[in-house]
Structures are given as structure tokens and as C-alpha cells.
Amino acid sequence: ALFDTSSETSAPEHLQSQEQPPVVAAVSHLPHHYMVEHVMFLLLEVGLGGRFELIHLPRAGLGSGIAMVHFKSEEDATRCFYMLQGKPLADAFGATRLLQVTRA
């Protein structure tokens, strides 16, 4: 197989010690008035504090309702999915939105 990891060879030591690149999750259906601080509070509220490195809101001035969250590991991104997928949030007009979390 192309990505067979069962072989006896391993990566050189200097490559083994490198940190894994961040895993990016897209959290969508956020209220359009949400800023980075709102998303950070949401992540802290569900126990994801210290598990992410960066929050980016594409087109923040236009209120896209999407946040790109860079997590430190695959486990952290998976935890985000389980904690936020389908979570109801009220927007500024009182309408309820259900969050969606996908791998970006």
C-alpha cells in the first residue's frame, strides 16, 4: 500500500521529534456577528481551552459565519467535533442555528 506504516523502517530521529502540523477544523453556522473572541469563548466553554493554536474568521468584516480553528492534534479536532457538532446557538435575531464542524 502507498501509506503502509507496518514496515520495520522508521523515519530518521530528527524527523520523529518534530511536532505534527496543526489540524484545521471549520466551524460553520456561527451567528454572523461572531468575532474571534466569541469563538474562543465557545471553545473554552466546551473544554477546548489550550487545545487550539489559532482561530481565523474568513471575511470577518462580512460575517461569514465560519471559523477556521487550528488544533494542536487530531484528537483535539475530533473532540471539537463531538463537543460542537449540532450545538444550538441563537443569533442576534433570536433564530437558532445548529453548528456544523468539518475537517478543513
Side-chain angles (χ1 to χ4, degrees):
L2 185 60
F3 295 106
D4 184 7
T5 59
S6 64
S7 72
E8 294 298 320
T9 62
S10 61
E13 187 174 327
H14 72 281
L15 293 178
Q16 290 178 1
S17 63
Q18 290 182 351
E19 292 184 25
Q20 295 296 318
V23 179
V24 181
V27 180
S28 58
H29 295 183
L30 291 165
H32 290 280
H33 70 277
Y34 263 37
M35 298 186 305
V36 169
E37 293 82 10
H38 293 102
V39 178
M40 187 180 313
F41 180 76
L42 178 65
L43 294 171
L44 294 173
E45 182 180 59
V46 298
L48 292 168
R51 298 179 180 272
F52 56 92
E53 296 176 340
L54 175 74
I55 299 170
H56 173 67
L57 301 179
R59 301 181 187 190
L62 301 175
S64 67
I66 298 171
M68 307 303 282
V69 182
H70 294 229
F71 286 96
K72 293 181 179 180
S73 71
E74 185 72 40
E75 290 176 3
D76 296 334
T78 300
R79 185 172 181 179
C80 176
F81 175 82
Y82 285 112
M83 299 303 289
L84 295 182
Q85 179 68 22
K87 180 177 176 63
L89 287 181
D91 66 15
F93 302 104
T96 300
R97 299 166 168 262
L98 299 179
L99 294 180
Q100 289 190 353
V101 181
T102 57
R103 180 84 180 256

